[in-house]
Structure formats: structure tokens, C-alpha cells
Amino acid sequence: MSKVAVAVVGASGYMGEELVRLLLTHPHAELTCITSRTYAGQTIGEVFPRYYEAGLTFTAPDVEEIASKAQVAFMSLPHGLAAEYAVPLAERGVRVIDVSADFRLDSPDVYKSYYGEHPAPEWLPKAVYGLAERNREQIRSAALIACPGCYPTSILLPTTVMLEKGLARPEGIIISSMSGVSGAGRKAEATLLFAECNESMRPYKVTGHRHLSEIEQELAKAAGLKELPVNFVPHLVPVNRGIHSTIFLQASRDDLSPLEVEKALRDAYGKEPFVRVLAPGELADTKHVTFTNRCEIGYAVDTRTKRLILSSAIDNLTKGGSGQAVQCFNIACGFDETAGLI
């Protein structure tokens, strides 16, 4: 089987580097183009010494050059900028898999309230939300795949099942998530310095976090509602990578049992290669999922408060971004979904 030529547009950030790592060893992908405005002209070995044998050189992003070298382009650019390359590449017949936020939302008005004016609103209805476990069939034929954000992935996988199965009420959902420092991206910022993050745990953006728009959009769909407001409180913790989310839901019945929760999760994910439903009494732990494309899900029912508590862990750079993008690539190209991933 011939390999598919792929490009990583914005390959020098944490997410881009993770894509490079996965694609260089992918059995069905040939990495033919890596772009970076900062490192244009430098070899991959100069920027990422561990990959010096790949023999690639960073170039400044150019639509025509990318289209001439790649059949599939992975976008790893900031919101707003990704659309500038994603749209013209898609128009030239290059399949685009975007790990930015540019095409995750259905509404340009919602996008505007969180990110600013959308650069290509006419493409929003054309994009497929790339949460493979929920949208696998749509991904197969999509020209533009919008991969979910890292926090939303950890939240949506367990919570949508509870809402769809009617085991939890949509009102009063509270989500507390913790992320490693790489989730903020590779940038020079005082609050992300080692001396500021080490031995420190702190919440941030406790109202209006950008991922809230995506979380609420997809939870509302699962609940069959037009809108579903939730509380989402992210925290920065002193680890390099990994996300843990604890989701508090009001049980739909006072007598909801853990067995019902377990059955719903196993019915939904029992055959999924990258979702592991934990045994009763076990809760998710990031050390079990880092550097993998897996999501762990645990659960508990508090009979005293009548709350259903979900516990979810992923690697923010892999299942929360680049690994999920490769999973979508496998589906879209007809490969085994697990190819190049663990």
C-alpha cells in the first residue's frame, strides 16, 4: 500500500511536534512538508534534535507549496490563522485536519463572542467535528475535520453518554479540570515559567474559557437541547502533559445505580480502541494515558447528594489533539483506526 503524503502546518509548537512524532513512525503516512515561520530554513534536527534523521527542513507556510507536496494537511496553528490556510487548501482538494478552534463551532456568532470575527463562516457547516467515537461515519468523507479541544475531549466522552441515556439531568452540570503546562502551548509567558508553575496549582478562566463554547454546544446536542449552560473551572497543575476532568451531574433518578452507569459506558465504548471504561471503584489517572491516544473513564454515584460523578483522563497533546487528529486521518483514509497509535 502506497503511503499518503502529509504536511504539518505549524510544526514547531507542542501540538505540531507531537504530530511530527506520530507521523514520522506512521505506517501509512509520509511526512513531506513541515512549516514554521519562526524556523523557516532550519532543519528539523536543528529544532528537534531527536528527529535529525528525518531529513526535513522547515519552510514558511505557503498554500501552493503545501498543496503540491501533500494530500492531507494537518493544521497546528492559532485560531484565526488556521483558517487562512485550511480553506484554500481544502479548495485545492487537500484534505484538512485542523487541531485549532477555527471550525469546531456551528455558529459564527458564538465563535465571535469567544474568539472574534470568524475568517470563513461559510465553511463552518462544511466541517465535521472530529470526535471519532461520536462522528466516525461523517469523518470518513469529510474534506475538513475540526478536531476537538483537549478539555472538551476529556469532558464530552463520558458526559454525552450520560445525557443521551437519560441517566443525568442537564441542569447544574459542574466540571473541574486539571491540565499540564503544555496545554498552554510553547510560548514565553511569565506565568508559565518553571519557577511559577512548579509546586503550584491554580485555577484560571473560571468563567468564559474559550473551550466552554465547544463543551456547551456538544453537550446540548447530546441532551437534545438548543442550549446547555455549564460551569467549567480549569486548573493548571505542575506536570508536563495530561488532563484530568471531574464532572458532577445530577442523577436523573434518586435510585440510579453504579451498574446502570457502567452498562451505559460499556455499551457506548466497549468496542472502542481508545476508550477504557474502568472497573467499579476505579478512577482515572493521567499516568496511565500520557503519550497514548487513550481516554480512561471512571464513575461513582453519591447516594447522599444524588449526584453522578465522572472521572476522565487523557493526554492533552495526544488524545486531546494530535493523536486524535491521526485517528481521524486513519478513519478518513480507510486505514486501521489504531495505525500509528497506542
Side-chain angles (χ1 to χ4, degrees), residues 19 25 28 45 202 216-217 240 244 340:
L19 276 166
T25 58
H28 307 304
R202 60 182 185 267
E216 291 184 342
Q217 170 184 281
N240 286 340
H244 185 281

Side-chain angles (χ1 to χ4, degrees), residues 156-338:
L156 296 175
L157 284 172
T159 311
T160 51
V161 176
M162 298 300 105
L163 294 172
E164 286 179 338
K165 298 294 185 180
L167 300 182
R169 298 176 184 172
E171 302 86 7
I173 297 175
I174 299 172
I175 303 159
S176 178
S177 297
M178 298 176 287
S179 175
V181 182
S182 60
R186 180 180 273 127
K187 56 188 176 184
E189 194 170 293
T191 57
L192 301 178
L193 294 172
F194 176 83
E196 302 297 330
C197 296
N198 188 46
E199 297 296 328
S200 170
M201 296 176 65
R202 60 182 185 267
Y204 66 100
K205 292 286 181 72
V206 298
T207 61
H209 190 285
R210 284 171 168 167
H211 283 179
L212 187 63
S213 57
E214 185 182 342
I215 294 164
E216 291 184 342
Q217 170 184 281
E218 297 303 311
L219 290 183
K221 290 178 183 177
L225 301 172
K226 290 185 177 180
E227 295 181 350
L228 201 170
V230 305
N231 285 113
F232 169 55
V233 182
H235 298 73
L236 187 69
V237 295
V239 298
N240 286 340
R241 53 201 296 163
I243 281 179
H244 185 281
S245 289
T246 305
I247 304 112
F248 301 89
L249 302 153
Q250 195 67 42
S252 59
R253 304 191 326 271
D254 288 351
D255 62 348
L256 180 70
S257 73
L259 288 176
E260 290 179 86
V261 177
E262 180 183 14
K263 183 180 185 305
L265 289 169
R266 294 197 184 281
D267 285 348
Y269 299 126
K271 296 181 180 180
E272 289 293 341
F274 296 118
V275 180
R276 179 178 176 229
V277 179
L278 300 176
E282 294 184 356
L283 298 174
D285 189 328
T286 58
K287 73 180 179 182
H288 299 151
V289 297
T290 50
F291 291 97
T292 80
N293 196 52
R294 301 184 185 277
C295 175
E296 277 193 349
I297 300 175
Y299 54 90
V301 177
D302 189 332
T303 56
R304 186 178 62 86
T305 61
K306 315 303 181 190
R307 280 198 173 271
L308 165 58
I309 302 169
L310 301 173
S311 167
S312 172
I314 63 169
D315 184 314
N316 57 296
L317 296 179
T318 313
K319 185 57 174 171
S322 297
Q324 187 154 235
V326 172
Q327 184 180 358
C328 289
F329 166 77
N330 289 337
I331 294 168
C333 293
F335 303 133
D336 186 305
E337 195 166 326
T338 64

Side-chain angles (χ1 to χ4, degrees), residues 20 24 31 34 44-45 48-57:
V20 168
L24 281 176
L31 186 56
I34 54 173
I44 192 171
F48 302 130
R50 71 182 67 185
Y51 305 130
Y52 74 94
E53 291 183 336
L56 293 164
T57 298

Side-chain angles (χ1 to χ4, degrees), residues 57-81:
T57 298
F58 285 96
T59 61
D62 177 81
V63 169
E64 297 300 336
E65 181 180 6
I66 297 165
S68 70
K69 292 182 176 181
Q71 298 161 274
V72 177
F74 293 85
M75 299 288 109
S76 183
L77 296 168
H79 69 269
L81 183 59

